[in-house]
Amino acid sequence: MQILNNFSLRPFNTFGIEAIARHFATFSTVEELKELLSEASHSTKNNLVLGGGSNILFTKNVDGFVLKNELSGINLVDEDENHFYVKAAAGENWHKFVLFCIQHNYAGLENLSLIPGNVGTSPMQNIGAYGVEIKDVFVSLEALHKKELEIKIFTKDECRFGYRESVFKSEFKDQFVILNVTFRLNKVPVFNTSYGAIQQELDKMGIKDLSIQAISQAVINIRSSKLPDPKQIGNAGSFFKNPTVDIQFFQSLQNQFPDMPYYTTDVSHVKIPAAWLIQQCGWKGYRKGDAGVHVNQPLVLVNYGNASGDEIFNLSENILKSVQEKFNITLEREVNIV
Ligand code: FAD
Ligand code: EPU
């Protein structure tokens, strides 16, 4: 276990932002993680656990320890008549885990194909796409308390999942390191093709016999056509959440903006695509220096090369202000700001 000093985090965040960690180390066992946390608590108060770096914006250097999660292992831990129970270590790459499940005919994750990042980070914001969120297949997770160095099991209820939310982003923020996650996957798949362009893509692919493999490929095709690849243009996916507003407020907005798209979430709320709000404010394709708003998907802020975290953050502030002024809606950031 090697501790590196003054270490560049640029290759370790998908925004490609330059930031320096005072100390950097990887851990591949819980014992190593405990040692590093003890070490960090002696020399400095700061420590940050990093997964794939795909939902983080560094606006400053980290004056402390950055601990990169490399816990590995995927195991079938139980099964019953209808389900497989699969436990995956936090440092496993999410998409590789999805492909592993598809290969073994463990159904339920296919709609979540190609989301960057690690398994252990998936519960942080209850990752979601194409009509599925991990809460739909989540059983429990094990997490290490950073100070007490004790492992606690969190059930689904205890994680209090919401849209891009969990206790790990709110009341337990920065307090635990997620070590592994157990998922309940179906023996007989329940296909979910109703969201967005999945069915259209399956038709285009000429799929006659639906399978989880085909759905995964359809999702991969759609995502690759819509979202910028961080290897080519730095980004962290959607920068903001899609706002949920109450129906009365929405109706008053709709009188002013009859074309405003929306999705009903419950009897008294609707969700409005933030991409539309941002586009209406004229930001789509905007670029200043190397910080910009993606040309095809205005919800994605991008680093064309050498933007600083502050430049991206200031751009997000300006977007927030203009959406607030035009629509009286306050966007919330999805990306974790450091
Ligand atoms: P990181 O960026 O490494 O970390 C995110 C936060 O979690 C940080 O605060 C970090 O300190 C903390 N953290 C990391 N690991 C742990 C751990 N083990 N224990 C405790 N805290 C930890 N998200 C979606 O929900 N749906 C999408 O469709 C989607 N599409 C995306 C597309 C692109 C092109 C990109 C770049 C991102 C997309 N995202 C999407 C966002 C991102 O992929 C997810 O949020 C992912 O779960 C982040 O994982 P990570 O390991 O990269 O997290
Ligand atoms: N839109 C525009 N202009 C555009 C693009 C989109 O107005 O240029 C509007 C359209 O009305 C479109 C709507 O936005 O119908 C929705 O767009 P899209 O289907 O691309 O999805 P999204 O709402 O922008 C969400 C998630 C994504 C997830 C996709 C698919 C959030 C914040 N984002 O994006 O998640 O992959 O749906 O399920 O909920 C992420 O969280 O990082 C992420 C990429």
Side-chain angles (χ1 to χ4, degrees):
M1 198 175 63
Q2 202 186 0
I3 298 176
L4 302 161
N5 296 325
N6 300 322
F7 188 83
S8 168
L9 298 172
R10 193 170 187 159
F12 296 95
N13 70 96
T14 60
F15 252 126
I17 299 289
E18 181 59 293
I20 305 293
R22 175 140 34 139
H23 310 292
F24 178 92
T26 60
F27 60 92
S28 45
T29 66
V30 178
E31 283 319 306
E32 283 180 350
L33 171 62
K34 284 183 180 172
E35 270 180 55
L36 287 165
L37 288 169
S38 306
E39 174 77 29
S41 71
H42 293 141
S43 55
T44 159
K45 286 189 181 64
N46 267 340
N47 68 68
L48 175 95
V49 180
L50 195 59
S54 66
N55 206 19
I56 202 160
L57 177 69
F58 290 108
T59 59
K60 54 179 185 294
N61 292 336
V62 182
D63 186 22
F65 277 73
V66 171
L67 307 177
K68 177 142 170 37
N69 192 328
E70 292 191 348
L71 297 171
S72 64
I74 301 174
N75 293 294
L76 178 66
V77 289
D78 201 1
E79 66 182 287
D80 58 28
E81 201 187 340
N82 299 316
H83 303 108
F84 296 110
Y85 294 81
V86 186
K87 187 191 243 187
E92 290 287 344
N93 173 271
W94 175 261
H95 182 57
K96 278 195 191 147
F97 172 60
V98 171
L99 293 181
F100 172 93
C101 292
I102 290 170
Q103 205 179 12
H104 288 79
N105 284 318
Y106 305 158
L109 296 177
E110 51 283 357
N111 293 50
L112 299 174
S113 296
L114 211 61
I115 297 181
N118 285 2
V119 168
T121 332
S122 64
M124 285 285 298
Q125 68 159 15
N126 177 29
I127 58 167
Y130 296 94
V132 175
E133 292 180 322
I134 70 138
K135 75 170 171 46
D136 303 329
V137 288
F138 179 94
V139 177
S140 64
L141 62 79
E142 286 184 295
L144 183 76
H145 192 279
K146 282 185 174 182
K147 287 209 175 101
E148 291 158 14
L149 300 185
E150 271 169 21
I151 295 177
K152 176 173 164 41
I153 295 172
F154 285 82
T155 61
K156 182 168 155 179
D157 283 350
E158 286 169 327
C159 291
R160 280 198 255 122
F161 291 123
Y163 165 59
R164 300 292 190 272
E165 274 304 335
S166 77
V167 281
F168 303 103
K169 261 187 116 172
S170 52
E171 67 179 276
F172 293 144
K173 191 170 167 19
D174 294 331
Q175 290 186 35
F176 286 92
V177 183
I178 297 169
L179 303 174
N180 59 62
V181 187
T182 301
F183 300 92
R184 180 174 43 234
L185 301 169
N186 291 323
K187 289 190 171 176
V188 179
V190 182
F191 299 125
N192 185 339
T193 60
S194 56
Y195 192 97
I198 297 188
Q199 191 53 55
Q200 213 181 316
E201 183 62 30
L202 288 164
D203 293 344
K204 204 167 111 190
M205 288 159 63
I207 298 296
K208 301 268 179 314
D209 295 322
L210 198 52
S211 63
I212 56 175
Q213 287 78 3
I215 292 179
S216 170
Q217 193 54 53
V219 169
I220 290 172
N221 294 351
I222 299 167
R223 292 182 67 95
S224 309
S225 72
K226 280 191 165 193
L227 289 163
D229 177 355
K231 287 196 192 98
Q232 274 142 30
I233 307 175
N235 76 91
S238 302
F239 198 90
F240 301 99
K241 297 182 193 180
N242 288 324
T244 302
V245 299
D246 81 50
I247 197 105
Q248 268 125 16
F249 174 66
F250 173 70
Q251 280 158 354
S252 69
L253 273 179
Q254 214 181 17
N255 291 335
Q256 258 183 296
F257 306 99
D259 299 336
M260 181 180 274
Y262 66 98
Y263 316 91
T264 305
T265 54
D266 61 44
V267 284
S268 51
H269 293 92
V270 299
K271 205 183 254 186
I272 303 170
W276 188 86
L277 299 170
I278 296 169
Q279 180 167 356
Q280 295 303 307
C281 292
W283 290 105
K284 189 170 177 171
Y286 172 91
R287 176 172 179 172
K288 186 178 177 198
D290 276 349
V293 178
H294 193 249
V295 285
N296 298 327
Q297 180 29 299
L299 194 46
V300 178
L301 303 193
V302 292
N303 172 13
Y304 285 104
N306 289 311
S308 68
D310 272 344
E311 285 172 315
I312 303 277
F313 184 80
N314 291 339
L315 173 58
S316 77
E317 278 289 287
N318 292 336
I319 292 171
L320 266 169
K321 272 187 212 143
S322 63
V323 170
Q324 176 75 53
E325 272 163 26
K326 192 173 172 89
F327 298 103
N328 198 16
I329 291 175
T330 310
L331 292 180
E332 224 184 297
R333 291 181 183 86
E334 178 193 301
V335 170
N336 299 279
I337 311 294
V338 174

